[in-house]
């Protein structure tokens, strides 16, 4: 009888990719994949450790799994398993601990557990490895867009962030391996790929000089794969935005005008305390440079509010900066004290009430700017990648995303089907943040 495996992912797009890769390894080994409900023989949770809350959610999911079937094998994989191995060794809900750079071993480690019936711990010193873990996917749960992990690790050591300790140093994937995966996905009909990593802008810095590649050379290679018509990029650091980079990606004709440029604060004092390696002025220049090459790009960002020692004046400076850039979307995070980071030991920790008030103010600005950007698209012709059918107001529609990653619908007809690329003129809104086109 086939063993039943249920998988659950916590955390980022890189984690989601790794879960899909592990699922495909398990399927090839003869396991049956089932929903994350009672009745599985194995529960695999890919954990996250980006905040203390992520740690807690990871523990809760592991315990929930054991409660659903006390006889099941519960596997803790990923970042929390890497960062807090000792705590998990003591946790009776967990049978198998699989750290980062060990996920390709999932089938062998499960087989070992079946033989030994004793707790298995497969965790390496992640900061001492230079090896990229070669995982890959042949299909994805998103039927028209495929996320592809091309890089792991981070060398930045921002003062608030635990990730370099959980993911190790920068390790890049060979272009030939990326292309093999993209070609497989393209042969199955995928038209859009999203290149993602833990610190995508660092892609290639770890390669030896004689084979030095960069994110630009990777994008150029992917753009030549037959069938791939759109390329999106994960979160970027401002320093990668140069004339050469922008000229190179525009020339491919395939990189979408949708850039997530990580900010964190628009106040130079706070940026310095965070160990971010740019000033607000440099960041603004990079946004202007993007707009020089792409007429109306969707710029999105992350902002942390309530960082230690952030005064009211510092916050106002950051707020005004965000307001003046005119982002399409701003993802706002209240600073979360993360044990093991420099910021956790800093003076001037702020109350949750102050963080909430600052977050609220930026969220209001986000709503205004998102609506402004979407309204500016009315009357324009956009290219939609149709993703699924939905019902709205008693009618059937195809819903998809434009190249700017704005969501829009067209009325369902016999002419088109899911995964088609369609040109359509935006006529208005169906609901908030959902445009109508025809």
């Amino acid at each position: 009888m086939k063993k039943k495996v249920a998988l659950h992912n916590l955390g980022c797009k890189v984690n989601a990719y790794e879960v899909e890769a592990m699922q495909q390894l398990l399927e090839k080994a003869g396991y049956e994949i089932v929903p994350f409900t009672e009745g599985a023989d194995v529960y695999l949770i890919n954990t996250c450790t980006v905040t203390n809350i992520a740690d807690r959610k990871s523990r809760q999911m592991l315990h929930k799994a054991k409660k659903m079937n006390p006889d099941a094998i519960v596997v803790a994989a990923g970042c929390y398993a890497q960062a807090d191995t000792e705590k998990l060794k003591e946790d009776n809900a967990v049978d198998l601990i699989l750290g980062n750079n060990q996920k390709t071993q999932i089938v062998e480690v499960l087989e070992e557990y079946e033989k030994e019936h004793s707790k298995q711990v497969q965790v390496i010193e992640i900061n001492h490895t230079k090896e990229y873990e070669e995982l890959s996917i042949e299909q994805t749960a998103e039927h028209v867009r495929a996320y592809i992990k091309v890089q792991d690790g981070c060398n930045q050591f921002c003062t608030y962030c635990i990730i370099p300790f959980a993911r190790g140093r920068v390790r890049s994937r060979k272009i030939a391996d990326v292309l093999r995966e993209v070609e497989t996905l393209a042969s199955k009909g995928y038209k859009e790929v999203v290149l993602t990593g833990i610190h995508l802008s660092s892609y290639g810095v770890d390669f030896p000089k004689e084979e030095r590649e960069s994110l630009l050379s990777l994008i150029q290679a992917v753009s030549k794969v037959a069938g791939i018509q759109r390329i999106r990029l994960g979160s970027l650091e401002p320093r990668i935005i140069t004339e050469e980079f922008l000229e190179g990606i525009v020339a491919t004709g395939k990189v979408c005008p949708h850039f997530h440029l990580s900010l964190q604060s628009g106040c130079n004092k706070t940026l310095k305390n965070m160990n971010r390696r740019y000033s607000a002025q440099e960041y603004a220049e990079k946004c202007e440079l993007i707009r020089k090459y792409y007429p109306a790009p969707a710029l999105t960002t992350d902002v942390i509010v309530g960082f230690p020692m952030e005064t009211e004046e510092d916050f106002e400076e950051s707020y005004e900066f965000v307001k003046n850039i005119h982002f399409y979307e701003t993802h706002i995070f209240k600073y979360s004290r993360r044990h093991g980071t420099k910021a956790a030991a800093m003076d001037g920790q702020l109350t949750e009430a102050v963080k909430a008030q600052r977050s609220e103010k930026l969220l209001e600005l986000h709503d205004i700017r998102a609506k402004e950007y979407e309204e500016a698209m009315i009357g324009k012709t956009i290219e939609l990648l149709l993703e699924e059918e939905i019902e709205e107001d008693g009618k059937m529609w195809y819903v998809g995303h434009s190249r700017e990653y704005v969501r829009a619908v067209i009325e369902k007809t016999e002419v088109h089907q899911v995964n088609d690329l369609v040109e359509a003129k935006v006529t208005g809104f169906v609901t908030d943040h959902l445009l109508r086109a025809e």
Side-chain angles (χ1 to χ4, degrees):
M1 236 174 78
K2 275 188 177 184
K3 288 260 179 187
K4 295 177 179 175
V5 183
L7 302 99
H8 184 80
N9 181 57
L10 293 156
C12 63
K13 294 290 186 193
V14 170
N15 264 16
Y17 171 92
E18 290 170 346
V19 161
E20 292 198 324
M22 285 191 282
Q23 175 175 324
Q24 285 166 42
L25 287 171
L26 289 161
E27 283 172 327
K28 280 178 186 165
Y31 288 87
E32 181 189 346
I33 307 302
V34 297
F36 201 87
T37 51
E38 288 178 26
D41 303 302
V42 179
Y43 291 94
L44 191 161
I45 293 96
N46 202 23
T47 61
C48 177
T49 193
V50 71
T51 62
N52 295 328
I53 292 165
D55 281 1
R56 191 169 72 236
K57 282 184 180 169
S58 295
R59 287 193 297 272
Q60 283 169 347
M61 286 311 296
L62 292 162
H63 288 194
K64 181 181 176 182
K66 192 53 111 176
K67 203 176 268 183
M68 286 197 289
N69 182 3
D71 297 326
I73 303 167
V74 174
V75 184
C79 291
Y80 177 59
Q82 182 71 45
D84 224 339
T85 311
E86 294 309 310
K87 194 175 273 186
L88 286 177
K89 280 182 185 173
E90 305 301 315
D91 193 330
N92 293 330
V94 178
D95 303 301
L96 231 161
I97 305 168
L98 201 61
N100 286 325
N101 257 45
Q102 298 295 290
K103 291 170 187 174
T104 52
Q105 309 299 312
I106 181 62
V107 173
E108 291 80 355
V109 176
L110 277 172
E111 283 169 0
E112 192 64 29
Y113 182 85
E114 295 281 17
K115 282 186 217 152
E116 303 282 332
H117 284 284
S118 62
K119 189 167 247 181
Q120 298 288 310
V121 180
Q122 189 96 350
V123 178
I124 61 164
E125 282 280 347
I126 198 70
N127 286 312
H128 295 168
T129 186
K130 292 180 176 173
E131 204 174 305
Y132 179 85
E133 181 179 32
E134 193 50 55
L135 289 161
S136 65
I137 58 170
E138 291 175 7
Q139 63 210 51
T140 171
E142 277 208 48
H143 298 301
V144 299
R145 178 180 299 106
Y147 286 82
I148 296 174
K149 180 186 165 191
V150 300
Q151 178 277 335
D152 208 336
C154 182
N155 298 346
Q156 297 297 100
F157 290 93
C158 299
T159 56
Y160 52 81
C161 186
I162 199 76
I163 294 306
F165 304 99
R167 284 278 178 177
R169 301 292 73 75
V170 167
R171 304 180 302 288
S172 306
R173 188 178 182 188
K174 296 268 192 301
I175 286 186
D177 294 330
V178 176
L179 291 180
R180 249 194 308 278
E181 183 172 13
V182 174
E183 283 158 4
T184 299
L185 291 159
S187 72
K188 297 194 172 177
Y190 289 93
K191 291 174 181 167
E192 183 177 306
V193 291
V194 187
L195 303 181
T196 185
I198 296 298
H199 193 255
L200 187 62
S201 301
S202 295
Y203 178 87
V205 301
D206 54 314
F207 288 151
K209 278 205 172 80
E210 62 275 12
E211 56 175 275
R212 182 54 63 89
E213 299 285 2
S214 65
L215 183 57
L216 176 56
S217 58
L218 172 68
I219 293 164
Q220 288 168 328
V222 170
S223 74
K224 294 184 177 113
V225 175
I228 297 301
Q229 296 186 47
R230 285 180 172 187
I231 299 169
R232 290 190 193 278
L233 305 173
S235 182
L236 298 173
E237 289 285 324
R239 68 175 170 80
I240 202 163
I241 304 298
T242 62
E243 298 264 1
E244 183 196 1
F245 180 76
L246 289 163
E247 278 171 12
I249 64 173
V250 167
T252 68
K254 294 185 178 180
V255 176
C256 292
H258 168 222
F259 297 93
H260 187 86
L261 211 56
S262 195
L263 173 64
Q264 309 308 355
S265 176
C267 165
N268 285 331
K269 185 192 102 183
T270 306
L271 285 171
K272 197 171 179 196
N273 289 338
M274 290 175 165
N275 194 34
R276 301 293 287 173
R277 298 168 191 205
Y278 50 83
S279 67
Q281 290 68 32
E282 286 167 301
Y283 184 99
E285 285 163 15
K286 301 299 188 178
C287 294
E288 285 310 303
L289 203 52
I290 293 171
R291 288 178 168 137
K292 176 180 159 185
Y293 283 87
Y294 287 92
L299 299 183
T300 67
T301 199
D302 302 314
V303 176
I304 295 172
V305 296
F307 192 75
M309 298 180 285
E310 182 187 64
T311 64
E312 196 59 45
E313 292 73 29
D314 296 336
F315 169 70
E316 284 303 326
E317 190 181 323
S318 187
Y319 177 86
E320 286 301 317
F321 182 84
V322 172
K323 187 176 171 185
N324 291 334
I325 295 285
H326 287 256
F327 291 105
Y328 168 41
E329 288 184 328
T330 309
H331 303 276
I332 298 124
F333 300 91
K334 292 180 273 194
Y335 169 71
S336 169
R337 202 169 185 171
R338 184 67 184 78
H339 305 307
T341 62
K342 282 189 176 179
M346 285 179 179
D347 295 332
Q349 301 286 334
L350 302 179
T351 64
E352 290 308 311
V354 168
K355 293 178 203 174
Q357 174 246 323
R358 291 178 186 175
S359 170
E360 199 54 48
K361 187 170 177 180
L362 266 173
L363 280 167
E364 284 170 14
L365 176 62
H366 156 79
D367 287 340
I368 292 164
R369 289 289 186 252
K371 191 156 192 224
E372 275 176 6
Y373 187 82
E374 289 159 359
E375 281 174 342
M377 297 188 92
I378 294 171
K380 289 183 181 173
T381 298
I382 58 171
E383 180 195 79
L384 274 186
L385 178 59
L386 306 183
E387 292 161 30
E388 59 179 341
E389 295 177 21
I390 61 165
E391 190 174 340
E392 191 75 49
D393 294 337
K395 263 185 175 175
M396 293 306 294
W397 308 83
Y398 283 123
V399 64
H401 282 87
S402 72
R403 289 172 70 84
E404 299 80 5
Y405 210 65
V406 175
R407 219 162 150 258
V409 296
I410 59 168
E411 208 169 320
K412 186 186 171 187
T413 64
E414 299 305 309
V415 181
H416 300 298
Q417 57 187 17
V418 167
N419 204 33
D420 279 355
L421 278 165
V422 176
E423 299 241 307
K425 189 174 179 181
V426 180
T427 57
F429 287 88
V430 179
T431 58
D432 276 356
H433 307 304
L434 182 62
L435 294 170
R436 180 179 178 167
E438 54 190 42

